[in-house]
Amino acid sequence: MQKFDVLIVGAGMVGLTLALALRQASQLKIALVDSSAVTELDESIDVRVSAINVASKNIFTNLGVWSAIEHSRVQDYQHMHIWDKAGLGKLDFSAKDSTSWPPEDNLGWIIENKVIRHALWQQAELDEGIHFFTDNTLASISHGDSEVFATFVHDNADESATKPTPPIIAKLVVGADGANSWVRRQMAMAMIFKDYDHHAIIATVECPQGHQNTAWQVFLPTGPLAFLPLKSGQSSAPLAGKLCSIVYSTSPDEAKRLTALDASEFAKELTAASDGKLGDIKLVSERFTYPLTMRLAQDFVKDRVVLIGDAAHTIHPLAGQGVNLGLLDAAALAQTLTAKLSEYDESYAEFVNVADLKAFSRWRKSEASEMIAAMAAIKQAFAPQPSPVKLLRGIAMNILNNFAPAKNHLIAQALGIKADLPELAYQKDTL
């Protein structure tokens, strides 16, 4: 039997962030369970990327991992260009127009998921209070009044199998294990689902005109297409400033048609869809597609189990805020669990406070709900509309583009600068 204070299921970006945040603020003993161990970084560029905003960058900085991330492959961007394919509307955002304090040079950063996870994992391995379990998968979790009991799968019929991993006892279990969360299913935690009727196509492309340190997004009749600027590796130096990650959200039928095209025909479709603003595009990676579903847990907390990140909520990727929401969940939960530790004895015999966890659930569910509603409103606004509505939409976008107060508010939202952030999401000198 192994005893820990917190068992985190899922050592992705969100789970690792939680582990580091807890250890920075306490001496809690952490178990991290994930069947997929981190691998060493190589020159291959991951198709899976995240748009990291200033709040998330502050979290990484305060946890001491930003420098490692920054010295790998990180692409900053200072501009966003958004336009309506079916109309004349456009929006242009620039970091220099931000009125935030302290001032920001960038609107955000596009970073490969594996780069972020590698930096977090390396930092966690240096902490003796964080223990990794990557050999076996969990079989079950059950809870009592003051503890949670977790067991691992072991194949008794396999004589070559390693020695069974002893069960874990913890005061709290955190499900950070993604959209198809095993923890959520084990605990029968109710979810609200809505099919967005979109599939996302992701890939890496070469743009001869260069990305210009700009995040590009065009709203097509079938859905949004984003070109996110990417950093090239040393082996692809000739492509410096020319690589983008695409996120093409479209109807299932259109996604099926597009992925069936050969590479050159698919690239031609991207060039036409983007009005040639980035040149004659070339596909330089495989294409991956997956269905988009809105998920929201009815409650992020049940007994001694908490859900964070995609295990608690998933949203449409059109604003690139999914990972940022999850990182804020991790920072908020760490703050909630450690805020009153001084009130308990040094052994942390009981640090799980039901009222505090319920407050955490309300806090994070409220923001996730607001983001889900905003994504739904944007998606609906750019759905196919009669010509008069498209004209009005374009006029509204152009008015907004020239109305500084409204633009400044949208820039602040893109930066992740808002009220009621966890302390880790602020720059240290502004705490």
Side-chain angles (χ1 to χ4, degrees):
M1 198 74 66
Q2 305 171 87
K3 289 192 175 183
F4 294 90
D5 295 304
V6 180
L7 165 59
I8 302 172
V9 183
M13 293 181 284
V14 173
L16 286 164
T17 296
L18 173 61
L20 291 172
L22 287 171
R23 289 292 299 171
Q24 185 179 88
S26 73
Q27 293 298 310
L28 291 171
K29 191 176 178 184
I30 312 297
L32 263 171
V33 176
D34 196 309
S35 58
S36 177
V38 75
T39 56
E40 288 302 313
L41 293 179
D42 55 27
E43 282 295 302
S44 64
I45 296 176
D46 194 351
V47 172
R48 298 169 301 170
V49 304
S50 294
I52 296 300
N53 63 21
V54 171
S56 294
K57 182 240 186 181
N58 289 341
I59 291 173
F60 292 146
T61 300
N62 292 332
L63 292 177
V65 299
W66 179 250
S67 59
I69 294 172
E70 195 172 28
H71 284 89
S72 190
R73 288 190 296 271
V74 174
Q75 179 61 58
D76 53 75
Y77 61 96
Q78 295 81 46
H79 312 282
M80 293 179 66
H81 178 60
I82 302 168
W83 74 104
D84 183 1
K85 183 76 169 179
L88 301 175
K90 69 173 185 177
L91 288 168
D92 290 290
F93 300 108
S94 176
K96 65 181 178 59
D97 296 330
S98 172
T99 58
S100 65
W101 185 261
E104 294 295 339
D105 295 328
N106 302 302
L107 289 178
W109 298 262
I110 306 300
I111 313 173
E112 298 160 60
N113 289 0
K114 71 178 183 181
V115 168
I116 299 174
R117 188 180 185 227
H118 184 268
L120 291 165
W121 190 291
Q122 295 288 89
Q123 185 82 347
E125 282 191 322
L126 298 176
D127 192 320
E128 294 182 353
I130 299 176
H131 301 259
F132 287 89
F133 295 85
T134 58
D135 293 334
N136 287 6
T137 56
L138 287 172
S140 66
I141 53 174
S142 55
H143 60 88
D145 292 336
S146 61
E147 293 177 323
V148 183
F149 184 80
T151 61
F152 290 89
V153 172
H154 180 67
D155 186 359
N156 292 321
D158 184 358
E159 295 182 359
S160 65
T162 58
K163 184 179 179 181
T165 303
I168 289 176
I169 291 179
K171 297 291 195 307
L172 185 74
V173 171
V174 179
D177 51 342
N180 299 310
S181 172
W182 175 86
V183 171
R184 191 181 67 224
R185 294 196 306 271
Q186 284 288 306
M187 294 300 296
M189 299 176 78
M191 293 286 289
I192 300 169
F193 293 85
K194 179 177 174 58
D195 188 348
Y196 280 121
D197 196 30
H198 267 181
H199 283 203
I201 303 170
I202 58 173
T204 304
V205 299
E206 177 187 347
C207 305
Q209 299 286 358
H211 56 61
Q212 303 164 49
N213 287 28
T214 300
W216 308 74
Q217 186 167 57
V218 54
F219 281 92
L220 305 166
T222 56
L225 166 61
F227 291 83
L228 307 175
L230 268 184
K231 189 79 168 182
S232 60
Q234 292 181 356
S235 62
S236 55
L239 298 178
K242 296 182 178 181
L243 290 182
C244 282
S245 173
I246 65 160
V247 183
Y248 197 164
S249 303
T250 188
S251 66
D253 288 343
E254 181 67 356
K256 183 177 181 180
R257 182 188 73 82
L258 288 167
T259 52
L261 297 174
D262 64 29
S264 62
E265 289 299 316
F266 179 72
K268 288 179 182 178
E269 295 262 356
L270 294 179
T271 301
S274 58
D275 296 324
K277 292 188 178 187
L278 293 99
D280 292 329
I281 292 165
K282 179 181 178 182
L283 182 67
V284 297
S285 77
E286 292 184 68
R287 286 164 283 180
F288 297 91
T289 184
Y290 56 93
L292 297 176
T293 305
M294 184 280 289
R295 299 176 180 86
L296 181 65
Q298 291 188 4
D299 198 329
F300 291 10
V301 176
K302 182 177 181 180
D303 300 316
R304 288 178 173 268
V305 176
V306 182
L307 301 178
I308 61 174
D310 284 355
H313 46 71
T314 58
I315 64 173
H316 199 287
L318 66 87
Q321 291 301 312
V323 168
N324 296 303
L325 270 179
L327 295 173
L328 288 176
D329 289 348
L333 182 57
Q335 181 173 310
T336 298
L337 293 174
T338 61
K340 297 180 180 179
L341 280 179
S342 60
E343 298 179 11
Y344 303 107
D345 62 38
E346 294 181 357
S347 66
Y348 302 144
E350 183 51 83
F351 65 92
V352 179
N353 182 288
V354 174
D356 290 342
L357 289 180
K358 291 295 183 183
F360 160 82
S361 181
R362 291 191 297 271
W363 176 11
R364 299 310 306 153
K365 185 179 179 182
S366 174
E367 182 168 1
S369 299
E370 289 175 9
M371 189 65 70
I372 286 169
M375 296 306 100
I378 295 171
K379 181 176 180 292
Q380 181 58 38
F382 287 93
Q385 304 283 1
S387 295
V389 177
K390 289 189 288 187
L391 177 62
L392 290 173
R393 184 174 67 199
I395 293 171
M397 287 180 72
N398 291 329
I399 291 174
L400 178 59
N401 199 41
N402 292 286
F403 186 52
K407 281 187 72 173
N408 288 334
H409 175 72
L410 291 176
I411 290 172
Q413 292 296 309
L415 294 172
I417 298 171
K418 59 188 77 175
D420 203 24
L421 287 175
E423 291 181 1
L424 269 181
Y426 293 100
Q427 286 190 17
K428 284 186 175 179
D429 58 359
T430 63
L431 291 177

